[in-house]
């Protein structure tokens, strides 16, 4: 997944608007959508074949495709009259595509996003684009047993179910490369420890005078990770928020924009210095896929990722699993004080379109995905399944030792998670910070001036 990630809804543009108009004119509706405004059909038990469309950015990644295909096959065996087709796109293209479809009313019956995206996409059309799920969730099992369910609200009501999986971030490392460099993984506790280790791991392995191994497979290109790696590892722990202070808390008003705070500027300067260190980070890694390949190929010793990376590594080369280690995100020391990491839990959640003809059938499938048999399949993706009871079983812990480490980090080493603001404007704010991060870390522009300009643009977006 995309760290799985991350899931930023881009700002709406004239290009997307034109595409939406074209789609409406062409009538390019997905198979299961209609103009019936969320009316449920007669039920999954009827003889008539029901077709549901399922949109997700995860389907582009092999472990998730395998898990989702298996889930659909299992559900179809139980419900032979229900056909589910998947519409996916790679992470970077998925969000623009989804924006266009929601404006045009052509989104799938089921749309899988992240909690911070719900308000943005729901608000793209008058009256909201997705079904209020309170009657299915409030006061019932999903409200209590699913990790991140409380994050799936807009104005106090549920618009998504946290029925797939979740994960926060850590630092994967190649055990063999650490051993060769004489680095004890347990000694990497603080951000400075992390930088020193990354620098030591950057070496010329074949003696031609050029570096061909780097310490940390960072992203320094156009991918949203160019921003999120910086603020997850450094900025948010010390500042409390990229967009707003106090853990991205409201009120979400222009006067509370926090992006150019002293702590965030310090964090940007620190990260820029790391990005400029050729031993620590590979120059020009313009996509997360490239960094992951460098890690798998032994060209980089560390990679920041979530539990989904476990499944991706196993799919890439099962032999690498014996060389795969995991460090927690490091403690950040700032102005003489230690700040614990505060990565969010990043659950994948699913919404049901108001345009769907088959709301009841869509809900039954989504609810079934929370069952132990379905969660066992989802565990194969490498992410941590959402059902709290399932991941507490001895069987899950035995079969997924690295994923369990993420849970231990969350419980024992990390501060309370800080999530993106759940507001409609979040898509615009996120695009601004991605563009600003590119200016600072790729264009090497002044951090303070760049963040001051970002603050100005964010205030304009909120006003």
């Amino acid at each position: 997944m995309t760290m799985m990630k991350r899931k930023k809804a881009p700002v709406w543009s004239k290009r997307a608007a034109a595409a939406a108009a074209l789609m409406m004119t062409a009538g390019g509706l997905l198979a299961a959508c209609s103009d019936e405004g969320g009316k449920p059909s007669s039920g999954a038990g009827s003889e008539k074949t029901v077709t549901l469309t399922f949109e997700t950015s995860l389907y582009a990644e092999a472990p998730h495709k395998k898990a989702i295909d298996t889930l659909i096959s299992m559900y179809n065996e139980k419900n032979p009259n229900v056909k589910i087709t998947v519409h996916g796109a790679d992470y970077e293209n998925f969000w623009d595509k989804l924006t266009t479809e929601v404006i045009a009313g052509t989104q799938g019956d089921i749309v899988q996003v992240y909690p911070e995206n719900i308000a943005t996409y729901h608000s793209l059309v008058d009256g909201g684009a997705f079904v209020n799920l309170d009657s299915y969730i409030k006061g019932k099992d999903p409200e209590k047993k699913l990790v991140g369910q409380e994050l799936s609200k807009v104005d106090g009501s549920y618009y998504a179910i946290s029925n797939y999986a979740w994960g926060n971030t850590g630092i994967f490392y190649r055990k063999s490369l650490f051993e060769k460099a004489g680095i004890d993984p347990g000694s990497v506790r603080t951000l400075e420890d992390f930088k020193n280790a990354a620098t030591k791991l950057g070496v010329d392995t074949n003696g031609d005078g050029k570096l061909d191994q780097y310490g940390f497979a960072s992203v320094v290109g156009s991918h949203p990770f160019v921003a999120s790696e910086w603020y997850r590892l450094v900025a948010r722990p010390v500042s409390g928020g990229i967009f707003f202070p106090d853990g991205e808390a409201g009120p979400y008003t222009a006067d509370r924009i926090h992006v150019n705070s002293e702590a965030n500027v310090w964090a940007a300067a620190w990260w820029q210095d790391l990005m400029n260190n050729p031993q620590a980070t590979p120059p020009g890694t313009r996509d997360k896929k490239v960094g992951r390949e460098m890690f798998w190929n032994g060209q980089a010793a560390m990679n920041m990722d979530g539990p989904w990376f476990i499944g991706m590594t196993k799919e890439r080369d099962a032999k690498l699993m014996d060389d795969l280690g995991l460090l927690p995100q490091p403690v950040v020391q700032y102005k003489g004080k230690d700040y614990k990491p505060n990565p969010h839990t990043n659950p994948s959640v699913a919404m049901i379109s108001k345009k769907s003809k088959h709301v009841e059938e869509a809900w039954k499938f989504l609810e079934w995905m929370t069952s132990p048999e379905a969660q066992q399949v989802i565990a194969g993706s490498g992410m941590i399944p959402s059902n709290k009871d399932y991941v507490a079983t001895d069987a899950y812990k035995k079969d997924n030792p690295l994923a369990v480490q993420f849970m231990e980090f969350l419980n024992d080493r990390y501060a309370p998670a800080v999530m993106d603001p759940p507001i409609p404007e979040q898509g615009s704010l996120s695009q601004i910070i991605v563009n600003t991060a590119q200016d600072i870390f790729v264009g090497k522009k002044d951090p303070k001036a760049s963040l001051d300009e970002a603050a100005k643009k964010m205030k304009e977006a909120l006003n």
Side-chain angles (χ1 to χ4, degrees):
M1 151 173 119
T2 8
M3 188 163 258
M4 223 177 63
K5 172 163 88 54
R6 225 153 138 56
K7 328 147 251 283
K8 299 302 184 186
V11 64
W12 180 238
S13 64
K14 290 182 179 179
R15 175 173 59 82
L22 179 61
M23 287 181 70
M24 287 185 286
T25 301
L29 302 180
L30 293 174
C33 293
S34 74
D35 294 324
E36 296 185 19
K39 288 183 181 180
S41 66
S42 57
S46 65
E47 293 297 325
K48 185 177 179 181
T49 298
V50 170
T51 299
L52 299 173
T53 47
F54 179 16
E55 291 197 78
T56 173
S57 65
L58 302 182
Y59 202 65
E61 297 177 0
H64 292 296
K65 183 180 186 302
K66 183 177 180 181
I68 292 169
D69 285 345
T70 302
L71 289 171
I72 291 172
S73 177
M74 289 172 62
Y75 192 76
N76 188 243
E77 286 182 13
K78 296 174 178 291
N79 303 272
N81 63 314
V82 180
K83 179 182 179 183
I84 302 171
T85 59
V86 181
H87 295 258
D90 63 90
Y91 177 79
E92 289 190 75
N93 294 313
F94 178 81
W95 305 103
D96 277 334
K97 175 178 176 287
L98 180 58
T99 301
T100 301
E101 290 170 349
V102 172
I103 292 292
T106 62
Q107 69 271 18
D109 294 274
I110 297 166
V111 179
Q112 189 180 62
V113 294
Y114 300 90
E116 63 265 34
N117 306 134
I118 297 171
T120 298
Y121 287 103
H122 183 62
S123 66
L124 284 177
V125 296
D126 291 341
F130 297 94
V131 174
N132 184 314
L133 300 178
D134 283 350
S135 62
Y136 299 105
I137 296 174
K138 277 194 172 179
K140 299 179 180 179
D141 280 351
E143 191 170 41
K144 298 177 290 184
K145 73 178 183 180
L146 301 178
V147 173
Q149 184 57 55
E150 72 281 1
L151 306 173
S152 298
K153 292 181 179 179
V154 176
D155 297 329
S157 288
Y158 292 110
Y159 283 87
I161 178 173
S162 180
N163 66 335
Y164 190 73
W166 64 275
N168 51 34
T169 44
I171 307 296
F172 287 93
Y173 69 94
R174 295 290 297 266
K175 295 177 183 178
S176 59
L177 297 181
F178 265 57
E179 183 177 357
K180 187 175 181 180
I183 299 172
D184 174 14
S187 69
V188 184
R189 188 187 75 86
T190 69
L191 197 63
E192 286 299 317
D193 296 335
F194 167 75
K195 180 172 71 174
N196 292 336
T199 302
K200 188 174 182 179
L201 287 159
V203 295
D204 171 13
T205 63
N206 57 19
D208 64 356
K210 298 179 181 179
L211 291 173
D212 53 2
Q213 178 186 299
Y214 303 90
F216 175 57
S218 60
V219 176
V220 287
S222 58
H223 195 282
F225 272 67
V226 73
S228 65
E229 288 187 340
W230 154 61
Y231 63 66
R232 290 182 188 183
L233 273 175
V234 193
R236 267 189 176 151
V238 297
S239 72
I242 285 294
F243 306 103
F244 299 93
D246 308 317
E248 304 291 4
Y252 300 112
T253 53
D255 61 295
R256 297 190 74 247
I257 284 294
H258 187 64
V259 69
N260 59 338
S261 67
E262 182 182 359
N264 281 334
V265 172
W266 172 84
W270 191 97
W271 194 252
Q272 186 184 61
D273 181 66
L274 181 71
M275 295 300 100
N276 289 338
N277 183 336
Q279 286 182 265
T281 63
T285 308
R286 305 195 65 83
D287 191 281
K288 190 65 179 172
K289 294 178 182 178
V290 175
R292 287 168 174 159
E293 285 290 339
M294 292 185 72
F295 179 87
W296 290 326
N297 292 334
Q299 296 171 277
M302 293 188 286
N303 176 54
M304 181 181 177
D305 239 309
W308 46 86
F309 189 66
I310 301 169
M312 295 172 75
T313 300
K314 188 181 297 184
E315 189 77 19
R316 174 65 160 67
D317 184 355
K319 295 178 182 178
L320 290 175
M321 295 300 295
D322 291 335
D323 199 32
L324 193 65
L326 180 65
L327 299 170
Q329 285 190 202
V331 170
V332 184
Q333 295 176 319
Y334 174 62
K335 290 189 172 182
K337 183 178 177 181
D338 284 2
Y339 292 85
K340 289 183 178 181
N342 51 20
H344 58 64
T345 52
N346 205 31
S348 294
V349 302
M351 305 183 290
I352 300 176
S353 170
K354 279 188 176 180
K355 293 289 186 178
S356 175
K357 296 178 181 180
H358 309 296
V359 171
E360 289 295 330
E361 287 83 352
W363 171 257
K364 288 176 182 177
F365 172 63
L366 295 179
E367 185 177 37
W368 173 80
M369 283 175 62
T370 70
S371 67
E373 62 178 333
Q375 293 281 286
Q376 184 177 14
V377 171
I378 292 168
S381 72
M383 290 179 65
I384 304 172
S386 294
N387 187 315
K388 298 175 185 178
D389 294 338
Y390 175 75
V391 298
T393 63
D394 290 339
Y396 175 79
K397 293 177 181 178
K398 180 180 178 181
D399 292 340
N400 301 277
L402 274 177
V404 169
Q405 281 190 266
F406 278 96
M407 298 168 66
E408 293 172 347
F409 294 162
L410 188 68
N411 293 330
D412 302 333
R413 294 175 178 262
Y414 292 167
V418 176
M419 307 293 293
D420 284 355
I423 55 176
E425 298 87 354
Q426 182 55 33
S428 296
L429 301 184
S430 295
Q431 191 60 53
I432 291 168
I433 199 62
V434 169
N435 293 342
T436 302
Q438 290 170 8
D439 288 341
I440 299 172
F441 308 127
V442 181
K444 301 183 181 181
K445 293 185 179 180
D446 178 67
K448 187 176 188 312
S450 298
L451 291 174
D452 283 343
E453 181 64 21
K456 179 182 177 182
K457 292 177 180 178
M458 288 182 185
K459 291 174 181 179
E460 290 173 351
L462 289 173
N463 285 330

